[in-house]
Amino acid sequence: MKKVCSFCGRGENDVRLLITGISGFICEDCAMQAHDIVLSSGVLGAQQQKKGGKKSPGFKLDKVPKPVEIKQYLDQYVIGQDEAKRFLSVAVYNHYKRLLQPEDRSGVEIEKSNIIMVGSTGTGKTLLARTIAKLLDVPFTIVDATVFTEAGYVGEDVESILSRLLQVADYNVEAAERGIVFIDEIDKIARKSDNPSITRDVSGEGVQQGLLKLLEGSVVNVPPKGGRKHPDQDYVHVDTKDILFICGGAFDGIEQKIAHRLNMHVIGYKNVQNVRKIDKSNLMQYILPQDLKSFGLIPEIIGRLPVLTYLDPLDKEALHRILTEPKNSIVKQYIKLFKMDGIKLTFPKETLDYIVDRAVEYKLGARGLRSIVEAIMMDAMFEIPSTDVKKFDVTLDYAEKQIDKARLQQLKIA
């Protein structure tokens, strides 16, 4: 009797693996397709919930980290930005409590407070999100707003945000419905102009309109594998009511909007005195929702992101600490890389000061630190592992020569 797959009809000589059952056979390709179908249907997640018995968030209130503990954890990896850390810690803690709020007859229901973080490039918005994801007991995903377009245009639908959350939650819908989503580069979907135009703003205001129902809370049809929606596709129904959204963006140029607002009503001696007290080197700390509206976010979106916080620009002291202090600091990473080859790597203080000075000069924030260190260490990482060197000291003279050789002066921003 010739063995053939009961699904596709191919013989055992045409496939790599043929699994034998009681009254039939299945090849490896059909088995993989069956697995994908089970995942996309959501049945697997439902069965996992049944095994667990009654619905439960999977954690108890006494195990939830308190806001102070969350901030202490963030302090180990992120330097400074205390204001943003406090806002994030409280928001995450309250999110846990919302998931565990008991049903009572008072009718009081705790609503979620989505967050928007504003700060220039390299100040730590994405790092804060990634760090807090390590600590959380709920599904967490980071998505980039720049890939989204209005439905029907080239790009991704906003519903694909939830597709990624489902993937992180192993397609357990109940777990995904209590997750946290960080939407990065939210400023890139700002409305291009206040003036009506013939052309549609499909990657700006169109995306903002699509995000409204997700942020507010509604049942959304989500394509389980992401991508565009198709009429013949099976959808997973996800309720976004309990999903916390954290948005972050550089909002490049919003300082001018803030400065314009602060100087708009300078009438009388007292107001002039108040203007003099304004810290012009850090205008971001005075940001208000109306500045986001001036930048191009529609009022409906701003209303659904009630918690607004900012990140401070990084000065020399902060950059120096970022270079050496965090658990995952850049210097510690390179020391570990060389240690794996049996080489002891050291960075004298004057070299670290030089790296910080160059980062301030190029105005690239913390990201600029890695670019500079990578340029300095490239030749050493290429040559030294093939030698008998057991110790390498990155002197100031060596660092200066490597920077000149790498032509990083081209990065300098006037």
Side-chain angles (χ1 to χ4, degrees):
M1 177 183 174
K2 186 180 178 181
K3 296 180 181 179
V4 297
C5 177
S6 304
F7 291 84
C8 65
R10 289 185 295 172
E12 58 183 331
N13 296 328
D14 302 323
V15 298
R16 288 173 295 177
L17 177 66
L18 196 64
I19 303 169
T20 305
I22 296 175
S23 58
F25 307 91
I26 184 171
C27 68
E28 78 280 359
D29 291 330
C30 294
M32 290 175 66
Q33 287 182 7
H35 179 257
D36 290 340
I37 291 169
V38 171
L39 282 180
S40 63
S41 68
V43 172
L44 196 61
Q47 294 214 343
Q48 288 172 349
Q49 291 171 18
K50 286 179 184 175
K51 287 179 184 176
K54 63 180 182 178
K55 290 185 178 181
S56 169
F59 51 81
K60 296 180 181 179
L61 189 60
D62 56 359
K63 293 184 179 180
V64 175
K66 302 294 189 291
V68 171
E69 295 168 1
I70 296 173
K71 184 181 179 298
Q72 288 171 350
Y73 181 82
L74 291 173
D75 286 338
Q76 297 176 42
Y77 296 90
V78 185
I79 297 299
Q81 311 302 1
D82 287 339
E83 191 75 13
K85 287 178 187 173
R86 290 167 67 91
F87 274 89
L88 267 178
S89 302
V90 170
V92 169
Y93 181 62
N94 286 343
H95 180 61
Y96 275 114
K97 291 200 289 186
R98 282 188 70 249
L99 299 175
L100 295 166
Q101 60 181 315
E103 294 182 5
D104 54 36
R105 296 180 182 178
S106 66
V108 178
E109 185 177 347
I110 305 170
E111 294 185 355
K112 66 177 176 180
S113 294
N114 298 318
I115 300 177
I116 182 164
M117 295 191 297
V118 181
S120 55
T121 183
T123 49
K125 299 181 295 296
T126 310
L127 178 61
L128 277 171
R130 292 189 187 281
T131 305
I132 211 165
K134 299 176 188 176
L135 181 68
L136 298 184
D137 235 352
V138 293
F140 186 103
T141 187
I142 299 176
V143 296
D144 195 320
T146 57
V147 301
F148 300 125
T149 56
E150 198 173 338
Y153 293 84
V154 175
E156 292 189 27
D157 290 333
V158 291
E159 285 83 5
S160 65
I161 292 174
L162 302 179
S163 297
R164 297 177 196 183
L165 191 61
L166 274 173
Q167 291 165 10
V168 172
D170 291 329
Y171 292 91
N172 184 333
V173 177
E174 186 194 3
E177 287 180 345
R178 53 180 166 82
I180 297 177
V181 175
F182 179 78
I183 304 177
D184 206 0
E185 309 289 358
I186 192 75
D187 55 312
K188 304 304 186 292
I189 61 168
R191 186 162 44 191
K192 303 298 183 287
S193 173
D194 286 333
N195 299 323
S197 171
I198 296 173
T199 56
R200 297 193 67 180
D201 190 6
V202 298
S203 62
E205 185 176 355
V207 177
Q208 292 188 53
Q209 299 287 356
L211 278 173
L212 290 178
K213 61 178 180 179
L214 267 66
L215 298 176
E216 180 67 20
S218 61
V219 179
V220 181
N221 293 330
V222 182
K225 295 181 182 178
R228 289 300 191 189
K229 292 183 174 181
H230 301 289
D232 57 343
Q233 193 175 17
D234 292 326
Y235 298 120
V236 177
H237 304 294
V238 178
D239 190 349
T240 65
K241 176 173 63 76
D242 289 330
I243 297 176
L244 180 68
F245 290 90
I246 303 171
C247 301
F251 289 88
D252 189 30
I254 200 170
E255 290 92 343
Q256 284 88 345
K257 310 283 186 186
I258 300 170
H260 178 68
R261 172 176 55 80
L262 291 174
N263 291 315
M264 191 176 289
H265 303 293
V266 185
I267 300 173
Y269 176 76
K270 188 174 181 180
N271 285 334
V272 172
Q273 291 293 100
N274 290 337
V275 168
R276 287 177 182 169
K277 294 177 183 177
I278 293 171
D279 181 7
K280 294 181 181 179
S281 63
N282 183 14
L283 288 174
M284 204 70 83
Q285 62 185 302
Y286 306 111
I287 192 166
L288 292 176
Q290 54 260 46
D291 300 318
L292 299 179
K293 182 176 180 293
S294 301
F295 189 85
L297 292 190
I298 60 176
E300 297 90 334
I301 279 278
I302 298 169
R304 287 164 174 80
L305 298 167
V307 180
L308 172 60
T309 186
Y310 66 93
L311 282 85
D312 295 311
L314 300 173
D315 55 15
K316 282 188 178 182
E317 182 186 353
L319 287 170
H320 200 288
R321 293 179 63 200
I322 288 169
L323 201 55
T324 57
E325 287 187 18
K327 277 190 174 182
N328 201 33
S329 73
I330 299 169
V331 166
K332 289 177 183 175
Q333 291 179 42
Y334 282 91
I335 290 173
K336 184 176 181 180
L337 277 172
F338 276 74
K339 187 178 180 182
M340 291 171 73
D341 286 323
I343 303 164
K344 184 179 179 182
L345 181 70
T346 56
F347 286 87
K349 183 180 182 302
E350 59 267 22
T351 304
L352 296 176
D353 292 338
Y354 174 76
I355 293 170
V356 169
D357 289 340
R358 295 290 75 75
V360 172
E361 184 182 355
Y362 302 149
K363 298 180 182 178
L364 293 175
R367 286 193 183 93
L369 291 173
R370 177 168 285 279
S371 300
I372 294 164
V373 177
E374 189 74 23
I376 292 171
M377 300 304 301
M378 181 53 66
D379 285 354
M381 289 189 293
F382 179 78
E383 296 166 359
I384 291 179
S386 301
T387 67
D388 296 329
V389 173
K390 297 299 179 184
K391 183 178 180 182
F392 183 68
D393 190 21
V394 187
T395 63
L396 176 59
D397 183 54
Y398 178 83
E400 288 175 342
K401 287 179 180 177
Q402 292 301 111
I403 289 294
D404 291 339
K405 180 181 175 182
R407 297 177 183 174
L408 276 183
Q409 293 296 335
Q410 294 174 3
L411 285 175
K412 186 174 178 180
I413 300 173

